[in-house]
Structures are given as C-alpha cells and as structure tokens.
Amino acid sequence: MDQLKKILTTPAARSTAFYYFGNIAVSGGRYLFHVLLLRLLLPSEYGEFLAYLSLLYILGIPNATVGNVVVKFVSDFRGKNDHRANNELFYYLIKKLTPLSLFFGVILIIFSQSLSVALKAHPTAFVILGASLFISILSTVIRSYLLAFQHLIAQIVIGFVEILSTLGLAYVFITLGLSATGAVLAQILAGIIGVIISFWIIKKEVLPAIQKTKRKFSLRSFTGYSLIYAVGSISLLSTDVLLARYFLTGHLSGIYSSVAVIGRTIYFGLGPLIGLVLPIASHRHSLSGSSKSVFEKLGGAILILGIIATGIFVLFPNFIISLVSGANYLEATGYLPLFAITMLLFSLNLFLINYLMAIGRPRINFYLLIAALVQPVLISLFHTSLSQIVWSNLLLEMALFIPLLWHVQKSKL
C-alpha cells in the first residue's frame, strides 16, 4: 500500500493524472459540439458533417505521420539534452513538408465538385478543407513539440480555448444557414487559434533559428513506419463512415454516424493516455533502456478506464442515445454496445502498437496496415445493413488484438 501511495503521489503521476482528467473535461466539451450538431442538424445533415470530418482525418495521414516522428525524435533528443537538435529539426521539417501540405490542399480544391457528388455533400466545404491544409503541417509540428516537451497543463488550457471557440462559431454559422459546412469552418478556425497559442508556448525551444547547420536527420526509416501507423489508425477510424455514407441512404448513414461518434468517445477518452505512451516510453527507453513501468502504469489505466466506459455503454445504450442524440436517432440503440466494444479493442490495439514503436519495434505497424486494407473489403462485401458494418469492424479489431498481444509478450517489455 505504501509503495502504491508513493507511485501515485510522484510529480509525474500527478501531472499525468491532471492531464488525463483535464482531457476528459476537454473531450466532454468536444462532445458538446457533436451534441449541438445532433440537435441542430437532421440525421442526413449530420451524416454529411461526419463524412467531412472522416475525409479530413484521412487527408491528415501525412500530418499524423509527422506528428509521431516529431514526438519520437524530440523526446529522444530531450533524453540526451540535445537542445540544438530540437531547434534544427523544427525548421528542417517545415522546409521539407510545406510543399506536401500545399499539394494536398490544391488537389482537394480541384476535386471538390466530384467529392461533393460522391459523398452527397456541398462542394464549398471541400474548398474550406483544402484551404485549411495549407497550414496543417505547421500546425502538426507545433502541436507535436508541445506534446514531446510534455507541456501537459498548457495542452488542457488550449483544448478548452478551442472548444469554446468551436461551440460559439458553430452555433453562429449554423444559425446563419451554413449547416454542416458551418460546423467544418468553426472547427478549422478554432484550430488556428489553438496553434497560435501553442507556438507562443514553445517559441523558446525553436526561436531564434540556428543558422548555418549541416546536420542531417536520419528520419526515413521511422517515418516510413509512422506513415503506416497513420494510414492504418486513421483508416480504421474513418473509412467505415465514408463507406456507410456511400452505400447507405442519407438517413441510415446519419444513424451510423451517431453510433460512431458516441462509441468513439471511448477511444477519444483514452486517447490522451495512448498519446503519452510514445513520448514517455521513448524518453524512458532512451535514458535507461527499460520502459516496463510505463507499460504497466499506462496500460493498466487504459484497460481499467476503458472497461468501465464500455460497460456503461453496453448496459445503458437507450439512455445514452436518448440523452445525446435525441429521438431521431433511437434506432441506433441496438448497435451501440457492439461499437463500444470495438472502440475498446481499437484503443488497446493502438496502445500496444505505440509501446512497441517506442521500444524500437516499429515493424509491428504492418499488422495495422493489413487490418486497414481488409476493412474496406469487408464493408464492400457486407453492407446491406448497419449490423453487418458494425460486426465487420468488431471482428477485425479482435483479429488484430491477438497478434499484437503476442508480440508484446514476446518482447519481454
């Protein structure tokens, strides 16, 4: 008992606990945003918005890749007290990646009309998304530095600022008649506010820029695996919504979207802890060569909290659907328990993969890639009902969990 008390009262434990529960509050605020949309928009309109959001996730695959690379290497450099390397890495990444961000933004704007037809949506929203990609790489690098330097309290404050901005802007834009497009615009503008604040916090780490450096960063190998991680994780989280929008009616896609956004609160609730695995385990592994305690503490917290949240969703689906979505979405009740279990498994899978990446086993991401490739095939074959899509996702996550757990045990932590 004394040992447990000692562990729970360390500065690191207190900081992590504040970060987690602060993120729970931020996630609750983000959920209010979706509740606002569910109340203001019809099922078909909400399905349109979540299709926008899912497409944005997929377009953000390069950003997610960069984020993992930044967190991994900045954490390693911190462990070695190499402050110069962190400064040089910042400008190296901005120079290399800005053209990629501009390219994707232009492509999205060019194909906005075609995407609007395929996803039964308004083309203006895709133009807005394309314009937002112009600054997306800068945003990703800045936010990743914030995480790698473990400015945990600052992240919570920024999260609240973004939520309040999103809620206020979304209400104004939707009231003005912009519908789902207004919700997208509100999120993007709030994100820009968050990036400005984030840069102000990390500016002492990257300003002024160190000039005349010839340092070369060996990022290619880890970047490749990070790209696989981003493709796999984001695809598993987004492809089902896009395919449901494509194969099903507007109404049914809206029902599926409501199940997805409610069920994913399990993943988004656990996400802050999962996000700490890579920087903390990498830093600990770099210092001592062992990160077993990180695995046990974060893994135990993720498992316990995930089971509690999933149990609530399984036991009270009708109450949750009624409370969050309202009467228009009650037919989603029967699918929520299965989707909740799916999101618990998805969260555990990402935790295991992040840990293995942190200790130098990034090839594990090939399992994630295989799952991401199988998902659209399964849904393309089985999509005549919402039940088939939900069951396809659940079975896929179960199949992924087994080999990942085996590899963790084999690694001997």
Side-chain angles (χ1 to χ4, degrees):
M1 181 62 70
D2 291 338
Q3 182 66 23
L4 178 61
K5 183 178 179 181
K6 182 179 179 181
I7 292 173
L8 294 177
T9 55
T10 61
R14 290 196 299 269
S15 179
T16 301
F18 178 85
Y19 176 74
Y20 176 73
F21 289 108
N23 264 286
I24 290 294
V26 171
S27 296
R30 288 181 180 141
Y31 212 69
L32 285 177
F33 172 62
H34 285 276
V35 171
L36 176 67
L37 298 186
L38 287 166
R39 298 291 181 176
L40 294 177
L41 302 176
L42 296 173
S44 60
E45 293 174 326
Y46 184 73
E48 178 184 343
F49 167 74
L50 212 62
Y52 293 145
L53 200 59
S54 298
L55 180 62
L56 188 59
Y57 287 153
I58 291 175
L59 291 171
I61 286 174
N63 295 352
T65 304
V66 172
N68 279 332
V69 171
V70 172
V71 170
K72 168 66 175 174
F73 282 90
V74 171
S75 297
D76 286 346
F77 293 147
R78 282 187 64 237
K80 300 172 183 176
N81 290 319
D82 193 345
H83 303 293
R84 181 185 181 93
N86 279 328
N87 182 288
E88 294 173 351
L89 179 63
F90 182 85
Y91 297 98
Y92 174 85
L93 291 171
I94 296 300
K95 179 180 178 181
K96 294 290 185 181
L97 298 171
T98 297
L100 181 65
S101 182
L102 293 173
F103 172 77
F104 280 112
V106 171
I107 290 296
L108 188 59
I109 292 173
I110 291 174
F111 289 97
S112 59
Q113 189 63 46
S114 299
L115 288 169
S116 69
V117 174
L119 298 177
K120 310 178 185 74
H122 199 284
T124 304
F126 297 108
V127 175
I128 294 173
L129 290 176
S132 72
L133 292 179
F134 294 158
I135 62 169
S136 62
I137 288 294
L138 179 61
S139 170
T140 299
V141 173
I142 291 173
R143 290 178 183 273
S144 298
Y145 264 73
L146 196 69
L147 176 59
F149 278 94
Q150 298 181 32
H151 292 297
L152 305 184
I153 296 176
Q155 287 182 285
I156 300 303
V157 174
I158 292 170
F160 278 115
V161 171
E162 289 182 332
I163 285 303
L164 293 174
S165 301
T166 303
L167 289 171
L169 291 170
Y171 182 80
V172 171
F173 292 153
I174 293 175
T175 302
L176 292 174
L178 295 180
S179 188
T181 302
V184 172
L185 182 58
Q187 281 199 315
I188 292 171
L189 293 177
I192 292 174
I193 295 172
V195 170
I196 294 172
I197 300 173
S198 299
F199 182 76
W200 183 81
I201 293 172
I202 68 161
K203 64 180 181 179
K204 65 179 181 179
E205 309 293 347
V206 299
L207 292 177
I210 296 175
Q211 302 295 327
K212 297 181 180 180
T213 178
K214 295 182 179 180
R215 184 192 296 262
K216 294 183 179 180
F217 294 95
S218 301
L219 308 179
R220 183 172 299 177
S221 177
F222 190 81
T223 300
Y225 291 117
S226 295
L227 176 60
I228 295 174
Y229 175 83
V231 169
S233 59
I234 293 175
S235 294
L236 288 174
L237 200 62
S238 306
T239 301
D240 58 333
V241 173
L242 291 173
L243 290 177
R245 184 70 180 175
Y246 179 78
F247 285 119
L248 303 176
T249 65
H251 175 76
L252 284 179
S253 73
I255 297 299
Y256 184 80
S257 295
S258 70
V259 174
V261 77
I262 294 173
R264 286 173 187 168
T265 55
I266 293 174
Y267 165 65
F268 291 122
L270 298 175
L273 292 179
I274 297 172
L276 290 176
V277 175
L278 189 58
I280 294 179
S282 295
H283 186 242
R284 188 72 57 84
H285 195 70
S286 177
L287 285 173
S288 63
S290 176
S291 53
K292 181 179 179 180
S293 62
V294 176
F295 179 86
E296 293 175 343
K297 293 174 185 177
L298 287 178
I302 289 170
L303 181 62
I304 293 171
L305 293 171
I307 290 175
I308 292 173
T310 302
I312 294 173
F313 280 50
V314 169
L315 294 174
F316 309 106
N318 188 71
F319 171 76
I320 293 172
I321 292 290
S322 300
L323 178 66
V324 175
S325 303
N328 289 332
Y329 297 86
L330 284 178
E331 60 188 286
T333 300
Y335 308 108
L336 184 57
L338 293 175
F339 203 93
I341 296 172
T342 302
M343 286 296 99
L344 174 61
L345 288 170
F346 177 75
S347 301
L348 293 175
N349 287 338
L350 292 191
F351 163 70
L352 295 176
I353 291 171
N354 273 274
Y355 179 76
L356 289 168
M357 289 176 68
I359 63 173
R361 297 174 181 267
R363 288 179 181 158
I364 197 68
N365 282 292
F366 284 113
Y367 287 96
L368 186 64
L369 179 61
I370 292 171
L373 294 174
V374 170
Q375 184 192 46
V377 175
L378 283 177
I379 296 177
S380 296
L381 293 174
F382 306 103
H383 59 263
T384 57
S385 67
L386 292 181
S387 179
Q388 288 187 347
I389 298 178
V390 172
W391 271 106
S392 295
N393 286 331
L394 175 57
L395 295 175
L396 187 62
E397 293 297 338
M398 291 175 62
L400 178 59
F401 179 73
I402 295 172
L404 292 180
L405 187 61
W406 180 78
H407 274 280
V408 169
Q409 292 177 333
K410 184 180 176 181
S411 72
K412 297 181 182 179
L413 303 181

